[in-house]
Amino acid sequence: MPTIAGSRVARLIVVAGGVACGTFLSACSRTSSSAEPDESTPDTTTTGQVLADRSPTPSSTSGVVRAETWASGLVNPWAIEFLPDGRALVTERPGRLRIVARNGTLSAPLAGVPAVHAVGQGGLLDVALDPDFAANATIYLSYAEAGTGGSGTTVARARLTETGLQDVRVIYRQTPKLDGGAHYGSRLVFGRDGLLFITQGDRQNWRERAQDLTMGQGKVVRIAPDGSVPADNPFVSRRDARPEIWSYGHRNMQGAALHPTTGQLWTVEHGARGGDELNHPERGKNYGWPVITYGVDYSGEKIGEGTAKAGMEQPVYYWDPVIAPSGMTFYNADAIPGWRGSILIGSLTPGGLVRLELTNGRVTKEVRYLGELGERFRDVTVGPDGFVYVVTDNSNGRVLRIRPV
């Protein structure tokens, strides 16, 4: 099967191993009131490895877009996916899947949804349409599933009807299941080759597993729609690695999307205290967690060895302080002037919508919107009308439509 093409666009000159200065040391800090990353004097390690660009932490901008309620009455909505007819599927983390009509009314919960482990951050997570949905009505769900040893990220496929799901079949289970209720990931993205990327978290208390290729935690995996493993996956011939793994060394990826021009997978992942990352995970590469990171532990203690090490990828961009990113899409429409080509990311903390402009694969501008709402934006997508839709993650959750003022 063909591999998604595209070279890593990274400012990375690996010469030898080395530990960079920590996030909070003044010698490495970069602060700016501008929304453009400072590129005048790039930070480097003593070995010449160029470090990632840091967000200048711009304030939320008002007077550009406004949000209006499209649907309400949801409990912790986690994902939204539009159907070809203009309606939308929305997942609720407690385990419900609903259809939102074009006028914003909610259906009753659909029957046939698999049982989920709705504890902590677990529950019903992402939903995606099959690339041939118009012909086969097939959808995919990611969710936390309980089992021997604890719980883990699971993916099932099913046929969608007006009243529920039929022919439900599990196609992937994260191995092994572990205790704890956090860091499941998980987003589902189909590549142009029809293969499915699944992002997964490190399960928080088990972060060392992100470097262990025999386990599924902290990995992007790539499988066929029936759950089989593509023959060209990077570790398929290794006995000491799981064949479904695409990339590793990730913490908790809750946003993922394909670049509309290159077809390359891009992701955002949560750091700890600082160190949220924008990446485009490539075949077989190691993204460093928990050996390297731009954040520190919640206690303030150092994590790992520093911010850089030979053989480990730098992020394209990072946030410190964090935005707690969840949900991501590329804006490829014209209803909001000036946004075409931008990455849109939902922020849980401090909340709102984050827009990134890219030039040659690098972030050249960051703008934030709707911070005044104080809402946790869990997922973001573009509707058939070209406006942006987000779901707000709380017990009184809504779907908001974002349009120009």
Side-chain angles (χ1 to χ4, degrees):
M1 296 183 182
T3 303
I4 292 179
S7 60
R8 167 128 176 112
V9 184
R11 302 163 60 219
L12 189 61
I13 309 170
V14 178
V15 178
V19 179
C21 41
T23 305
F24 297 138
L25 295 183
S26 60
C28 286
S29 64
R30 284 183 283 177
T31 58
S32 172
S33 59
S34 169
E36 299 180 2
D38 180 8
E39 301 174 13
S40 56
T41 53
D43 291 333
T44 62
T45 69
T46 56
T47 60
Q49 188 176 23
V50 180
L51 303 182
D53 287 326
R54 176 179 176 178
S55 166
T57 316
S59 301
S60 184
T61 299
S62 59
V64 177
V65 293
R66 60 186 174 92
E68 58 191 23
T69 300
W70 184 50
S72 59
L74 295 157
V75 178
N76 297 110
W78 215 92
I80 179 169
E81 179 82 349
F82 274 92
L83 296 167
D85 63 6
R87 298 181 299 165
L89 293 170
V90 174
T91 64
E92 294 176 284
R93 193 169 51 77
R96 293 181 290 273
L97 177 66
R98 298 181 187 268
I99 296 176
V100 184
R102 287 183 289 273
N103 65 2
T105 59
L106 295 180
S107 73
L110 300 181
V113 173
V116 306
H117 183 65
V119 174
Q121 296 174 6
L124 184 58
L125 305 175
D126 205 13
V127 58
L129 304 187
D130 189 273
D132 200 21
F133 177 84
N136 61 25
T138 297
I139 69 168
Y140 299 77
L141 298 171
S142 67
Y143 55 98
E145 179 190 52
T148 302
S151 60
T153 304
T154 295
V155 177
R157 58 179 286 169
R159 187 163 54 85
L160 178 68
T161 73
E162 289 299 318
T163 57
L165 304 183
Q166 296 181 0
D167 305 324
V168 179
R169 183 168 69 86
V170 171
I171 60 170
Y172 175 77
R173 284 188 169 98
Q174 185 185 68
T175 302
K177 286 182 166 59
L178 300 170
D179 61 16
H183 294 193
Y184 295 94
S186 158
R187 294 295 174 184
L188 306 173
V189 177
F190 277 96
R192 289 179 176 175
D193 55 9
L195 300 176
L196 177 62
F197 291 106
I198 305 167
T199 73
Q200 302 173 101
D202 66 355
R203 298 305 319 288
Q204 191 173 40
N205 296 330
W206 306 88
R207 60 194 185 194
E208 293 79 10
R209 305 290 178 96
Q211 290 293 319
D212 188 338
L213 291 173
T214 69
M215 299 183 178
Q217 288 75 29
K219 314 295 192 301
V220 176
V221 301
R222 176 180 180 250
I223 61 173
D226 63 359
S228 61
V229 175
D232 64 344
N233 268 10
F235 303 106
V236 73
S237 61
R238 284 179 52 171
R239 294 184 177 181
D240 63 343
R242 298 198 63 82
E244 66 269 20
I245 293 173
W246 176 257
S247 62
Y248 64 109
H250 301 284
R251 186 171 183 266
N252 192 26
M253 297 165 285
Q254 292 188 335
L258 281 193
H259 191 288
T261 303
T262 67
Q264 197 170 40
L265 178 70
W266 287 65
T267 62
V268 284
E269 66 182 82
H270 295 270
R273 208 171 104 188
D276 292 348
E277 293 185 359
L278 173 70
N279 290 298
H280 46 80
E282 290 195 354
R283 183 181 191 278
K285 292 190 176 181
N286 182 354
Y287 289 80
W289 176 258
V291 181
I292 61 171
T293 176
Y294 283 93
V296 298
D297 222 333
Y298 297 112
S299 66
E301 294 295 316
K302 178 182 176 181
I303 299 173
E305 300 178 16
T307 55
K309 187 173 182 177
M312 295 183 177
E313 300 298 301
Q314 285 286 298
V316 175
Y317 192 71
Y318 76 97
W319 289 267
D320 183 10
V322 302
I323 59 167
S326 184
M328 172 182 178
T329 193
F330 282 88
Y331 187 77
N332 203 28
D334 297 307
I336 305 180
W339 282 26
R340 177 175 280 272
S342 297
I343 296 176
L344 304 180
I345 301 167
S347 168
L348 300 173
T349 303
L353 184 70
V354 176
R355 184 173 70 87
L356 304 178
E357 294 184 7
L358 297 177
T359 302
N360 297 324
R362 292 184 58 196
V363 176
T364 53
K365 187 175 183 180
E366 176 180 350
V367 190
R368 302 184 186 185
Y369 308 92
L370 302 174
E372 68 275 10
L373 298 181
E375 290 275 16
R376 292 164 53 86
F377 284 11
R378 174 60 76 178
D379 195 19
V380 54
T381 192
V382 180
D385 53 8
F387 297 131
V388 175
Y389 290 75
V390 300
V391 295
T392 65
D393 185 4
N394 56 58
S395 59
N396 225 354
R398 298 181 290 165
V399 180
L400 301 180
R401 178 166 48 212
I402 299 172
R403 59 198 308 166
V405 294

